[in-house]
């Protein structure tokens, strides 16, 4: 399968497309005014400690204080990883960092997290008011909520995640081979500094010893720089900003499956080459600077702009003629499957089965492409054949294996529903590109013109009781004006009743439901 990363960079935003077999698979966007804070490390100051909710508020220099929960003093959720506690005498790195004293001091001050615990210590035993503490942004602020931070620092690399506040080694459970797990564990033990922890990412499967060693050296050096920076820093202060979206994409996607990286900005191209020269010099040859003599933008050359616009539509057509409809509610995303134009050639059950099977594959693609997270409910067309239900479920399950984001899926219910969850990783495509309609306020519906016209008449009647003027001016949307004149008899009756003249004017810029009376 041919896989390409296409990077479009300008002064105000960076857009990255992951293409698989010439088709959009994932979209990533970073805008200059909305630079993500996730992963940034701050030296913060404890403003409040609240034992009642086992949490504290940390000033990290933002408008709103960040939220630090008692559980965020411990390691990340172990559900996705098999953890190993190193035994005595197991090998550690023979090579010390450049600043040996600073590194030893950092190790001596690290908390050793407990792997098995029945409860958490009280928050007021962990930190005190006005204490300065190093924290990392785990969740960005949402609407009225401040950011959530953790004191458990983690630095992701290409194959590993470095955990300087831990001593454990975790290996992704997506790596199934016990032999491969043992090999990776031994490589990490060989090169790591004593007392430090690592998570081996799924991308490390079949990686060479040189690749793992290079990642360890890079991440260890990065942590040493962060630790030295924060020693004399006065809180609140940003200590470390995560790399930009282009480099993050390389870090997360660069493996033997990527065939080509195309970037249209020369400065960004140089940054990528510099990054790869440190991380993975063997991949420099697949990076290409896009230059088109005719001046056609990179996304137009690949017809990406049209595909992005299509990915914002509620309705997605299937090849057979069926379609799926994606609706975003406040608490979940609902996906409805319909036969549409597809009527089949054999029998009713086969038609439904084919539509549902095709929809299952497309839904998995759309979840990735639109970056839909949270609770998802899929309403497949009812199937009476038990074997068909099982096959559709397996099709969806297999299609979701291409998704790097964690998903949990339940079996098809008697009503033909599939309940699933997909981990939230940043904003969805819809929330990035679209704003809520000010006219319908997100409902997708507006009042009919007949309804609005009757509201106008009632409002005029109430207004007439409060004014001595013999003339009332009403300004409305053009379509409402047309509807009012269709009800001219009602207007005349109202004028006779209130003994006033009603003057109707139209205003193109009005929302259909909005009107003014004066």
């Amino acid at each position: 399968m041919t896989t390409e990363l296409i990077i479009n960079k300008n002064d105000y935003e960076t857009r990255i497309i992951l293409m698989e077999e010439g088709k959009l698979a994932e979209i990533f966007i970073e805008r200059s005014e909305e630079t993500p804070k996730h992963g940034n490390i701050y030296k913060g100051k404890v403003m409040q400690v609240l034992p009642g909710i086992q949490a504290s508020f940390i000033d990290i220099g933002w408008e709103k204080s960040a939220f630090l929960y008692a559980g965020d003093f411990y390691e990340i959720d172990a559900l996705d990883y098999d953890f190993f506690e190193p035994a005595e005498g197991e090998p550690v790195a023979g090579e010390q960092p450049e600043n040996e004293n600073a590194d030893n001091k950092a190790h001596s001050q690290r908390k050793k997290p407990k792997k098995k615990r029945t409860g958490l210590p009280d928050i007021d035993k962990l930190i005190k008011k006005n204490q300065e503490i190093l924290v990392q942004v785990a969740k960005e602020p949402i609407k009225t909520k401040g950011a959530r931070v953790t004191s458990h620092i983690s630095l992701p690399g290409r194959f590993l995640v470095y955990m300087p506040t831990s001593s454990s080694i975790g290996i992704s459970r997506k790596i199934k081979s016990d032999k491969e797990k043992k090999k990776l564990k031994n490589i990490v033990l060989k090169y790591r500094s004593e007392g430090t922890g690592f998570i081996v990412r799924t991308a490390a499967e079949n990686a060479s010893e040189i690749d793992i060693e290079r990642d360890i050296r890079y991440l260890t050096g990065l942590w040493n720089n962060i630790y030295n920076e924060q020693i004399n820093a006065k809180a609140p202060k940003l200590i470390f900003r995560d790399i930009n979206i282009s480099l993050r994409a390389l870090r997360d996607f660069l493996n033997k499956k990527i065939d080509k990286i195309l970037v249209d900005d020369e400065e960004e191209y140089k940054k990528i080459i510099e990054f790869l020269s440190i991380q993975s010099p063997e991949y420099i040859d697949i990076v290409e600077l896009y230059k088109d003599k005719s001046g056609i933008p990179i996304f137009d050359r690949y017809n990406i702009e049209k595909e992005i616009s299509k990915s914002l539509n509620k309705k997605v057509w299937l090849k057979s003629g069926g379609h799926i409809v994606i609706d975003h509610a406040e608490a979940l995303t609902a996906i409805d499957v319909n036969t549409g134009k597809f009527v089949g050639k054999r029998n009713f059950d086969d038609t439904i089965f084919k539509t549902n099977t095709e929809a299952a594959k497309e839904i998995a693609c759309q979840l990735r492409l639109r970056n839909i997270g949270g609770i998802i409910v899929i309403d497949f067309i009812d199937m009476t054949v038990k074997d068909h239900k099982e096959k559709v479920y397996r099709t969806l399950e297999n299609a979701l294996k291409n998704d790097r984001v964690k998903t949990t899926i339940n079996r098809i219910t008697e009503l033909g529903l599939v309940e699933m969850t997909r981990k939230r990783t940043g904003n969805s495509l819809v929330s990035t590109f679209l704003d809520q309609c000010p006219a319908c306020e997100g409902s997708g519906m507006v009042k009919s013109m007949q309804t609005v016209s009757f509201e106008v008449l009632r409002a005029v009647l109430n207004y007439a009781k409060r004014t001595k003027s013999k003339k009332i001016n009403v300004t409305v949307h053009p379509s409402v004006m047309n509807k009012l004149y269709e009800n001219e008899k009602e207007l005349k009756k109202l004028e006779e009743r209130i003994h006033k003249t009603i003057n109707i004017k139209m205003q193109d810029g009005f929302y259909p439901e909005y009107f003014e009376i004066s």
Side-chain angles (χ1 to χ4, degrees):
M1 181 171 70
T2 305
T3 307
E4 297 174 292
L5 272 178
I6 300 175
I7 302 172
N8 166 233
K9 173 79 166 62
N10 52 48
D11 292 337
Y12 44 88
E13 71 176 358
T14 302
R15 299 183 297 173
I16 300 176
I17 300 295
L18 179 69
M19 302 278 288
E20 293 177 351
E21 292 295 328
K23 184 180 178 182
L24 264 67
E26 295 188 49
I27 302 173
F28 309 93
I29 296 173
E30 185 172 283
R31 290 170 174 164
S32 54
E33 78 279 5
E34 300 170 355
T35 304
K37 311 283 193 307
H38 182 274
N40 288 0
I41 298 173
Y42 295 81
K43 189 170 187 179
K45 185 176 182 179
V46 180
M47 304 305 293
Q48 281 182 293
V49 179
L50 306 171
I53 58 172
Q54 286 293 288
S56 61
F57 287 101
I58 313 294
D59 179 12
I60 57 174
W62 295 6
E63 185 179 347
K64 291 183 180 177
S65 294
F67 183 82
L68 176 64
Y69 173 59
D72 291 324
F73 280 87
Y74 293 87
E75 292 186 13
I76 61 170
D77 193 345
L79 290 175
D80 298 329
Y81 306 97
D82 291 317
F83 277 92
F84 304 92
E85 293 290 351
E88 272 189 49
E90 284 188 311
V92 297
E95 185 178 354
Q96 293 297 324
E98 291 180 14
N99 191 335
E100 185 174 341
N101 292 332
D103 188 60
N104 290 336
K105 185 177 179 182
H107 289 179
S108 67
Q109 293 188 5
R110 291 177 189 132
K111 304 181 190 73
K112 303 299 184 199
K114 298 175 183 177
K115 288 311 298 171
K116 291 182 180 179
R117 58 188 190 273
T118 55
L120 296 172
D122 293 335
I123 187 74
D124 52 359
K125 292 181 180 177
L126 296 170
I127 53 173
K128 304 295 180 185
K129 187 176 180 180
N130 295 325
Q131 179 182 337
E132 293 189 347
I133 182 174
L134 200 64
V135 293
Q136 186 172 31
V137 178
K139 288 185 179 179
E140 300 216 24
I142 302 174
K143 296 180 180 178
T144 58
K145 294 182 179 179
R148 181 168 175 174
V149 295
T150 175
S151 68
H152 178 71
I153 308 297
S154 58
L155 301 172
R158 186 176 156 211
F159 300 110
L160 308 169
V161 177
Y162 182 42
M163 303 183 296
T165 58
S166 170
S167 59
S168 302
I169 296 172
I171 299 181
S172 170
R173 287 183 178 168
K174 288 186 178 180
I175 300 175
K176 301 299 182 184
S177 168
D178 290 335
K179 184 179 179 181
E180 181 68 12
K181 285 183 178 181
K182 186 177 180 181
K183 182 198 84 172
L184 293 168
K185 175 191 169 186
N186 288 335
I187 294 173
V188 172
L189 286 169
K190 180 179 178 182
Y191 292 104
R192 70 162 195 155
S193 295
E194 187 175 5
T196 60
F198 283 92
I199 287 175
V200 180
R201 305 176 73 178
T202 308
E205 188 170 17
N206 300 320
S208 68
E209 184 171 334
I210 294 173
D211 288 332
I212 302 297
E213 181 196 5
R214 186 189 292 142
D215 231 21
I216 290 174
R217 277 194 280 110
Y218 169 73
L219 294 171
T220 303
L222 183 61
W223 167 247
N224 287 334
N225 292 337
I226 291 168
Y227 184 81
N228 291 332
E229 172 72 19
Q230 64 88 34
I231 290 175
N232 297 317
K234 186 175 181 180
K237 185 180 179 183
L238 172 66
I239 302 297
F240 167 75
R241 178 180 278 113
D242 200 6
I243 54 181
N244 69 29
I245 191 170
S246 299
L247 303 185
R248 291 201 305 273
L250 293 178
R251 182 181 69 193
D252 294 339
F253 285 105
L254 192 59
N255 50 48
K256 293 181 174 65
K257 295 178 183 177
I258 297 290
D259 301 293
K260 188 177 183 181
I261 300 167
L262 201 57
V263 56
D264 66 353
D265 181 78
E266 190 166 356
E267 187 178 336
E268 198 72 5
Y269 170 80
K270 290 176 181 177
K271 287 180 182 178
I272 289 170
I273 295 297
E274 183 182 354
F275 179 79
L276 289 177
S277 65
I278 299 171
Q279 284 276 62
S280 305
E282 65 272 23
Y283 291 102
I284 289 176
D285 291 341
I286 69 171
V287 184
E288 183 181 324
L289 178 63
Y290 175 81
K291 290 182 178 179
D292 188 273
K293 293 180 180 178
S294 58
I296 299 174
I298 189 170
F299 274 21
D300 288 341
R301 171 66 69 186
Y302 283 79
N303 202 34
I304 292 171
E305 297 288 8
K306 290 182 180 178
E307 291 299 315
I308 291 176
S309 295
K310 283 170 61 178
S311 66
L312 299 173
N313 294 337
K314 286 177 61 174
K315 184 180 287 188
V316 180
W317 287 99
L318 306 174
K319 290 181 180 179
S320 64
H323 65 263
I324 61 175
V325 178
I326 303 172
D327 275 308
H328 299 278
E330 190 166 341
L332 55 81
T333 299
I335 302 176
D336 187 35
V337 182
N338 299 285
T339 53
K341 302 173 184 176
F342 181 56
V343 293
K345 294 182 178 179
R346 297 181 183 176
N347 59 54
F348 183 65
D349 287 334
D350 288 343
T351 301
I352 291 172
F353 174 62
K354 183 175 180 180
T355 304
N356 282 340
T357 302
E358 199 174 340
K361 296 176 183 177
E362 186 61 38
I363 287 167
C365 292
Q366 291 297 323
L367 294 180
R368 282 182 70 194
L369 179 61
R370 299 172 186 238
N371 197 24
I372 297 172
I375 300 170
I376 300 158
V377 177
I378 306 168
D379 184 8
F380 285 105
I381 305 168
D382 289 342
M383 292 172 283
T384 56
V385 182
K386 190 174 180 180
D387 185 53
H388 286 178
K389 285 186 179 181
E390 181 64 22
K391 286 180 178 178
V392 169
Y393 171 79
R394 292 297 176 194
T395 300
L396 179 62
E397 188 179 48
N398 290 331
L400 289 169
K401 288 180 180 178
N402 295 326
D403 196 341
R404 64 192 177 89
V405 177
K406 182 184 176 183
T407 57
T408 305
I409 175 173
N410 293 330
R411 291 189 172 276
I412 300 177
T413 67
E414 291 298 320
L415 298 175
L417 300 177
V418 168
E419 299 164 351
M420 63 173 290
T421 60
R422 185 174 184 271
K423 186 177 178 181
R424 293 188 189 276
T425 56
N427 294 327
S428 68
L429 199 66
V430 167
S431 62
T432 300
F433 278 98
L434 305 180
D435 280 333
Q436 188 181 82
C437 171
C440 71
E441 296 183 342
S443 70
M445 306 285 284
V446 294
K447 293 176 183 177
S448 69
M449 296 305 98
Q450 184 72 284
T451 300
V452 178
S453 68
F454 288 160
E455 285 184 358
V456 170
L457 295 177
R458 287 194 297 271
V460 169
L461 178 60
N462 291 331
Y463 186 81
K465 296 174 184 177
R466 305 192 304 270
T467 181
K468 294 180 180 180
S469 174
K470 292 296 181 181
K471 184 178 179 181
I472 295 178
N473 295 316
V474 181
T475 308
V476 297
H477 186 274
S479 57
V480 177
M481 182 179 180
N482 292 335
K483 184 59 69 174
L484 284 168
Y485 280 126
E486 284 179 17
N487 298 322
E488 194 171 359
K489 288 182 181 180
E490 300 298 329
L491 269 176
K492 292 295 183 185
K493 285 181 183 179
L494 183 58
E495 285 180 328
E496 291 172 5
R497 182 177 176 182
I498 63 177
H499 305 292
K500 300 178 190 297
T501 303
I502 301 172
N503 181 35
I504 308 292
K505 296 188 294 184
M506 69 176 185
Q507 178 63 51
D508 289 329
F510 277 15
Y511 295 128
E513 295 180 17
Y514 182 76
F515 57 88
E516 289 180 352
I517 300 175
S518 62

